[in-house]
Amino acid sequence: MNPTTIFARATGTGRAAIAVLRLSGPATADMLRTLCGILPEPRRASLRALRHGSDLLDHALVLWFPGPRSYTGEDGAELHLHAGPAVVEAVAEALVSLGARPAEPGEFSRRAFSNGRIDLLEAEGVADLVEAETQAQRRQALQQADGALSRLYDGWAQRLRVLLAHQEALIDFPDEDLPPEIEAALARDTALLAEEMRAHLLTGAQGERIRDGLVVAIVGPPNVGKSSLLNRLAGRDAAMVSDIAGTTRDAIEVRLVLADLPVTLIDTAGIRDSEDPLEREGVRRALRHAEHADLVLRVACPGAGMEPEPRVPDDIRVWNKTDLAPAPEGWIGVSAQTGAGLDVLRERLAAEMRRLTDLAGAAPLTRARHRAGISEALEHLDTAPHLDLPELRGEALRLAMQALGRLTGRIGVEDLLDTVFNQFCIGK
Ligand SMILES: Nc1nc2c(c(=O)[nH]1)N(C=O)[C@@H](CNc1ccc(C(=O)N[C@@H](CCC(=O)O)C(=O)O)cc1)CN2
Ligand SMILES: Nc1nc2c(ncn2[C@@H]2O[C@H](COP(=O)(O)OP(=O)(O)OP(=O)(O)O)[C@@H](O)[C@H]2O)c(=O)[nH]1
Ligand SMILES: [K+]
């Protein structure tokens, strides 16, 4: 059955000069002929009057992409319109009356996937590229969209295929005089592959931090200036400041970009013993945030009790209110009031964040889906050597291969496609 021809606005809906409608599907050529009179030259921007019946809709730049040399692999087109909502609406209505329907989120990329233009990992990379807000996210997304993870996983699947062939040779000729080295080599190569996967799993910590952002919690006793510090770092008055101890009850989160990386700064309730149930809950949450954060800023100041809670070595110790008294040895001295020392603190934070996201050039896994797939493959590889029967060892290798195949989408993923593509925005 022919797929329906779909269309969507590919550009944003804010006030703008140009709006791009993209089309994909077998009726594209007919629709262009109806709207423009003739088909424009392939892949060249042509200025055309768009008409529907007697109605002149717009003067637009029109691009015609005959399949399979198109993003989706189907016939496709782009209409670069004047962005007035009434213009876009008129053209959309004309397309619907010609048999097209609005696309679902991610439907263009889903068709590109179905037509073998991109695999699932590349599609996810494209989705991340569309969402990228920081330069680190852009680089990582582009790398994945360009197939870096696909090549890695395909390479592993290929090695597994060879191992499986050797394993099957052992099954088919059990009494044959296969050199005993084969069995040993198989075990060794399987273990080697498993080690590479284990190392790759570790990159997920960095990859997911780059994609989702790092969490930095600001903790310490009441009134040391945690909220003041958050406001300084955020560059705006996000959290309330007062000289009343226990001002911040629930955590306050601010998103910002530091060292090209997305970071969520969390201001937490001042940690102290309190009878007030609300404040106690605030303290409980503060401790939980500190525990789950990628980095913790431990704040203290003159006169405040120091380090009532256990301190983790990676914590950054910040001494606030240096306008009142200098910082002791081993603390970064700042004044949230005057701004003194803030640059040093930002640089230290940036350095720690770079350390937590450093990949030394490796392509990291970037999603829980990847972590789950690699973990599954790894489990099978780790089990294989402990199975007595060569048939079972072969089956374990096959299952590991399948887990990798589901990551690229090369095998058995129908059930998974909705989850992956529904996360896309419309028009992608
Ligand atoms: N106007 C516009 N800008 C865009 C896109 C688009 O579709 N339209 N893209 C959409 O995501 C991105 C560019 N990526 C693209 C990837 C493949 C093809 C494509 O048509 N590929 C064909 C033909 C290549 C060629 O002309 O030589 C192919 O690979 O066969 C187009 C865009 C970003 N910018
Ligand atoms: N002198 C001086 N006062 C500061 C500085 N930073 C904050 N303060 C003052 O210290 C008091 C407490 O500041 P907050 O930012 O509310 O402190 P907090 O740690 O968030 O307090 P809680 O929410 O109660 O835990 C306020 O009166 C601030 O104006 C500083 O660098 N120097
Ligand atoms: K306070």
Side-chain angles (χ1 to χ4, degrees):
M1 204 189 74
N2 262 348
T4 314
T5 297
I6 53 171
F7 73 96
R9 193 185 175 122
T11 46
T13 49
R15 193 155 172 261
I18 313 288
V20 175
L21 284 190
R22 74 195 315 207
L23 274 120
S24 182
T28 301
D30 282 343
M31 291 179 187
L32 284 185
R33 275 191 215 96
T34 305
L35 292 173
C36 315
I38 52 160
L39 264 187
E41 201 184 321
R43 284 186 298 282
R44 296 277 293 244
S46 319
L47 179 60
R48 289 285 179 270
L50 298 187
R51 291 176 205 280
H52 191 220
S54 59
D55 202 3
L56 177 63
L57 305 178
D58 194 10
H59 292 286
L61 282 180
V62 178
L63 286 125
W64 157 235
F65 301 107
R69 267 185 71 189
S70 67
Y71 177 69
T72 59
E74 302 178 317
D75 283 355
E78 287 183 11
L79 308 173
H80 295 214
L81 311 169
H82 293 97
V87 180
V88 177
E89 183 187 284
V91 176
E93 274 178 14
L95 291 171
V96 169
S97 77
L98 296 172
R101 70 159 167 81
E104 307 286 338
E107 199 169 5
F108 290 89
S109 296
R110 188 172 181 152
R111 289 187 176 193
F113 169 75
S114 299
N115 293 323
R117 311 292 297 172
I118 52 175
D119 68 30
L120 216 47
L121 293 159
E122 290 163 344
E124 287 173 334
V126 169
D128 288 349
L129 204 46
V130 169
E131 304 278 343
E133 284 179 13
T134 73
Q135 298 309 318
Q137 288 176 325
R138 173 183 61 76
R139 280 183 222 105
Q140 176 162 300
L142 199 52
Q143 195 177 35
Q144 192 174 327
D146 282 345
L149 276 188
S150 313
R151 284 188 291 278
L152 184 64
Y153 298 168
D154 281 342
W156 286 342
Q158 181 51 32
R159 277 161 67 185
L160 277 170
R161 208 162 289 124
V162 173
L163 292 177
L164 185 59
H166 288 162
Q167 185 68 67
E168 278 172 349
L170 293 179
I171 298 167
D172 291 344
F173 309 101
D175 303 324
E176 214 79 349
D177 286 325
L178 278 166
E181 305 93 81
I182 290 208
E183 190 101 38
L186 230 141
R188 193 195 54 219
D189 290 350
T190 307
L192 213 65
L193 191 53
E195 277 329 298
E196 284 177 42
M197 287 187 188
R198 236 183 293 283
H200 177 64
L201 263 187
L202 295 180
T203 67
Q206 288 98 313
E208 289 177 71
R209 276 184 195 126
I210 291 172
R211 192 174 109 83
D212 305 329
L214 289 92
V215 176
V216 176
I218 306 177
V219 300
N223 259 352
V224 295
K226 300 181 294 299
S227 302
S228 309
L229 197 58
L230 173 97
N231 291 343
R232 270 284 176 187
L233 290 169
R236 63 189 176 89
D237 276 342
M240 268 200 301
V241 170
S242 88
D243 55 7
I244 303 166
T247 303
T248 303
R249 293 296 180 84
D250 206 351
I252 292 164
E253 304 194 2
V254 182
R255 292 275 288 184
L256 54 128
V257 175
L258 241 171
D260 280 352
L261 291 159
V263 44
T264 303
L265 264 183
I266 306 182
D267 178 24
T268 63
I271 292 166
R272 65 169 172 185
D273 291 329
S274 168
E275 295 300 314
D276 178 351
L278 271 183
E279 187 171 353
R280 290 172 75 95
E281 174 61 18
V283 169
R284 216 176 54 75
R285 291 183 184 198
L287 292 172
R288 201 177 53 214
H289 278 301
E291 192 185 324
H292 293 298
D294 294 300
L295 282 170
V296 173
L297 299 185
R298 292 251 173 230
V299 188
C301 75
M306 295 234 275
E307 301 181 57
E309 340 79 38
R311 189 180 150 252
V312 179
D314 282 346
D315 290 354
I316 301 173
R317 296 203 288 180
V318 183
W319 182 268
N320 190 29
K321 310 194 188 181
T322 49
D323 52 299
L324 301 180
E329 186 67 22
W331 292 70
I332 296 178
V334 301
S335 168
Q337 197 145 313
T338 67
L342 260 294
D343 284 347
V344 177
L345 175 58
R346 267 194 209 93
E347 198 30 65
R348 173 69 190 284
L349 248 181
E352 294 294 328
M353 286 170 50
R354 276 192 285 268
R355 180 178 63 76
L356 289 172
T357 52
D358 183 38
L359 283 156
L365 61 84
T366 57
R367 291 171 189 241
R369 187 180 85 83
H370 310 160
R371 181 188 299 284
I374 298 294
S375 302
E376 191 192 330
L378 197 49
E379 253 172 57
H380 293 303
L381 290 194
D382 286 340
T383 322
H386 305 293
L387 301 168
D388 322 328
L389 294 174
E391 285 86 347
L392 291 179
R393 291 203 288 277
E395 183 58 15
L397 297 179
R398 207 185 321 272
L399 289 172
M401 246 168 73
Q402 272 170 18
L404 293 177
R406 274 195 299 278
L407 284 175
T408 51
R410 306 219 196 287
I411 46 169
V413 288
E414 263 321 302
D415 52 329
L416 203 143
L417 294 183
D418 284 338
T419 330
V420 171
F421 287 104
N422 288 349
Q423 294 165 2
F424 280 57
C425 61
I426 291 186
K428 199 55 233 182

